[in-house]
Amino acid sequence: TIMAAFKHGQIYALLRYCRLLKNTRGILKPEFHCLSYLQRSLSEVMQINHFHTSSEFYRQVVLGIETSCDDTGAAVVDDTGAVLGEALHSQHSVHLKHGGIIPPVAQVMHQQNIKGVVNDALEKAGLVLTDIDAIATTVKPGLALSLSVGTHYGKILALSAGKPFIPIHHMEAHALTIRMAHKVEFPFLVLLLSGGHCLLVIANSLDHWSIIGQTIDDAPGEALDKGARRLKLRNIREFSSMSGGQAIEYLAATGNPRAYEFPTPMWKYRDCSFSFSGLKNSLFKIISRLEEKYEVEGGNIIPPINDVCASFQYAVTKHLVRQTQKAMVYIDVRDLLPKTNKILVVSGGVACNHYIRRALQKLCDTTGYQFHCPPPNLCTDNGIMIAWNGMERLKAKTGVLYKKEDIEAVVYQSKCQIGTDLTDDVRSLGIHAQKWVKF
Ligand code: KG4
Ligand code: ZN
């Protein structure tokens, strides 16, 4: 009888309560608790939870699925930003052996793992598919073969369970992760640094983004990964399972960042575009020179490895800081952010780097910006950021697909610009900084 009287939300609240019990005491299955607690009255359960109204009782939940590159991720988050369950399968070690990501290999591994990862996330949340309010999935941009797996799986799941489907833009998800735990209101400036992208954008709203600068060639993570490969860092056991960027950060910590000179990319251009291939090629030349000098052969490592990593990391950081500083000048000229509340959010895998974070923090301290960066585990690819972006969309009622034919029509896109490109406007103003911020 009680079961019949309970609306969906109230039943979910009971399940949530059961999960709380399960998490704190680690006992019994949720179903068992559900049955036993269904015998209590709603008010009694509310009292136990210290809830005062039934709206506090009801929490919406979104399942997020991520397969845009080499991580199969899934997570369940609620509308307060609490992570109820998460699972992640990384293909990193396999791709490291191949010397880079081979898309068909990534696709097969996503296919092998996606079901287990999604079920794991649901199980950790103590929920089943019917408890979920919507399914959010990365459908753009990324590796086509990788995206195809998540897009197909997410759509099938939504259609079979009769749930709404929310297609997610991977870079938007990186940019909005911070809002799970911090009150970061639109509009704000975002610097997105990953293995495939380098973007300076203004997040105006969930659906309105303006590009101030982006890379014209490599992404910073790509340059770091290729640099680490050329430095043969994989041959050092300690770094054999790390990403290139992480290994370089680790070695750079005890090196001299001024030991080797790198050219300043894009110094002639009065805009906020990025370029990392010149830095990468300069690194390759330095390595070849040092290999010759120290007669290093085969898989051996050049002796001044720490100084080389520190200098390369410094050069990459300097470029990021300078272009961001110019973006801040442009924002002032065009009055794009509220004067009293200017915010810079940095996200994406490369934002795990503490040296880069500190440098950008220093830039913000000098320019009067608030600096925000998600914790490292939320900067690299994961299902949580996708679920959260889905939750934001569900709450704002934008980009949520309910109709079968609309869900069926969703296709993945390997390339997808995040918003309107303002680069020409930046260039037309001849943006430059009066004095570079030191870090
Ligand atoms: O966002 P992400 O997980 O995947 C993409 O969407 O590309 O970023 C992965 C990139 C890799 O290139 C990796 O080398 C880099 O993030 N990365 C780092 C660090 N940890 C991961 N780069 C610099 N320092 C780190 N600590
Ligand atoms: Zn990413």
Side-chain angles (χ1 to χ4, degrees):
T1 322
I2 296 172
M3 188 74 160
F6 278 46
K7 288 199 192 91
H8 168 74
Q10 290 158 347
I11 287 177
Y12 168 66
L14 279 176
L15 282 166
R16 183 166 173 266
Y17 178 63
C18 300
R19 198 180 53 251
L20 275 175
L21 277 185
K22 190 179 152 228
N23 289 350
T24 50
R25 299 196 205 145
I27 47 165
L28 298 176
K29 285 176 155 184
E31 303 84 47
F32 185 89
H33 281 297
C34 186
L35 285 176
S36 61
Y37 282 99
L38 275 174
Q39 280 151 29
R40 294 177 178 225
S41 70
L42 173 62
S43 64
E44 194 182 337
V45 178
M46 281 174 72
Q47 254 177 14
I48 298 167
N49 276 293
H50 307 294
F51 289 149
H52 303 293
T53 64
S54 58
S55 66
E56 280 179 76
F57 220 40
Y58 179 64
R59 292 265 165 259
Q60 286 189 298
V61 281
V62 169
L63 167 69
I65 302 173
E66 156 65 32
T67 66
S68 70
C69 190
D70 59 346
D71 291 302
T72 318
V76 181
V77 303
D78 75 10
D79 50 12
T80 67
V83 179
L84 308 184
E86 194 218 351
L88 190 67
H89 176 270
S90 170
Q91 307 174 357
H92 180 66
S93 56
V94 174
H95 296 309
L96 213 57
K97 281 191 207 120
H98 290 115
I101 300 173
I102 299 174
V105 174
Q107 183 185 35
V108 169
M109 292 185 75
H110 282 306
Q111 280 162 344
Q112 286 167 345
N113 291 293
I114 192 155
K115 190 172 177 212
V117 166
V118 168
N119 288 346
D120 198 11
L122 284 169
E123 203 171 301
K124 283 178 182 155
L127 298 175
V128 289
L129 204 53
T130 45
D131 300 319
I132 300 295
D133 292 288
I135 296 166
T137 306
T138 309
V139 303
K140 59 193 173 184
L143 299 173
L145 291 177
S146 295
L147 284 168
S148 72
V149 180
T151 306
H152 179 71
Y153 194 81
K155 281 167 63 177
I156 295 288
L157 220 54
L159 289 168
S160 63
K163 300 288 176 185
F165 182 72
I166 312 175
I168 303 292
H169 189 295
H170 182 82
M171 300 315 287
E172 291 178 8
H174 270 306
L176 300 182
T177 311
I178 194 71
R179 283 161 51 96
M180 276 180 79
H182 295 271
K183 210 170 165 14
V184 176
E185 303 285 1
F186 294 117
F188 53 91
L189 176 62
V190 198
L191 175 61
L192 295 170
L193 310 170
S194 73
H197 296 87
C198 189
L199 281 163
L200 264 168
V201 286
I202 294 190
N204 296 295
S205 71
L206 285 180
D207 291 311
H208 181 198
W209 303 76
S210 313
I211 303 171
I212 297 181
Q214 59 189 320
T215 184
I216 57 161
D217 42 52
D218 291 353
E222 187 181 355
L224 287 162
D225 291 342
K226 287 178 179 163
R229 212 174 302 147
R230 179 65 186 85
L231 285 162
K232 298 173 257 183
L233 301 188
R234 178 159 87 82
N235 296 349
I236 309 175
R237 189 196 289 217
E238 220 181 325
F239 307 123
S240 58
S241 61
M242 282 186 192
S243 68
Q246 204 182 0
I248 288 180
E249 176 180 15
Y250 200 92
L251 285 158
T254 47
N256 172 12
R258 312 297 164 103
Y260 298 92
E261 278 274 346
F262 282 84
T264 303
M266 312 289 292
W267 64 272
K268 273 190 198 156
Y269 295 82
R270 290 196 162 191
D271 63 23
C272 307
S273 305
F274 297 91
S275 166
F276 293 94
S277 75
L279 291 178
K280 179 191 67 186
N281 290 331
S282 301
L283 173 70
F284 289 176
K285 279 190 200 139
I286 291 171
I287 301 169
S288 299
R289 210 178 64 221
L290 290 169
E291 280 177 342
E292 215 170 287
K293 180 176 168 190
Y294 291 99
E295 295 178 6
V296 174
E297 282 174 359
N300 294 329
I301 312 284
I302 46 169
I305 184 75
N306 297 79
D307 285 351
V308 171
C309 287
S311 302
F312 185 51
Q313 181 179 256
Y314 171 72
V316 168
T317 308
K318 189 166 104 178
H319 185 42
L320 293 173
V321 171
R322 288 195 172 184
Q323 301 312 79
T324 310
Q325 187 178 345
K326 279 198 265 178
M328 290 173 171
V329 174
Y330 173 72
I331 284 166
D332 282 346
V333 173
R334 285 283 185 235
D335 210 9
L336 298 178
L337 293 182
K339 289 219 165 15
T340 51
N341 185 28
K342 289 191 276 193
I343 297 171
L344 172 69
V345 170
V346 184
S347 193
V350 180
C352 292
N353 188 293
H354 294 89
Y355 185 82
I356 294 173
R357 281 175 184 237
R358 277 196 300 276
L360 291 163
Q361 171 80 64
K362 181 80 192 298
L363 171 67
C364 287
D365 293 346
T366 316
T367 52
Y369 270 69
Q370 273 182 57
F371 177 74
H372 284 284
C373 195
N377 66 316
L378 293 182
C379 282
T380 46
D381 290 352
N382 62 80
I384 298 173
M385 67 181 199
I386 307 305
W388 175 248
N389 196 185
M391 179 55 79
E392 289 232 40
R393 291 191 164 280
L394 190 66
K395 286 203 275 190
K397 299 186 172 57
T398 177
V400 184
L401 307 178
Y402 293 90
K403 288 193 204 139
K404 183 171 173 270
E405 55 273 27
D406 291 344
I407 299 175
E408 278 169 347
V410 174
V411 284
Y412 61 85
Q413 287 167 261
S414 62
K415 285 199 170 40
C416 180
Q417 187 153 292
I418 194 169
T420 324
D421 193 351
L422 301 179
T423 308
D424 286 344
D425 189 46
V426 179
R427 242 171 243 160
S428 73
L429 293 174
I431 290 298
H432 67 285
Q434 295 297 336
K435 190 166 173 254
W436 295 121
V437 168
K438 294 225 172 354
F439 58 89

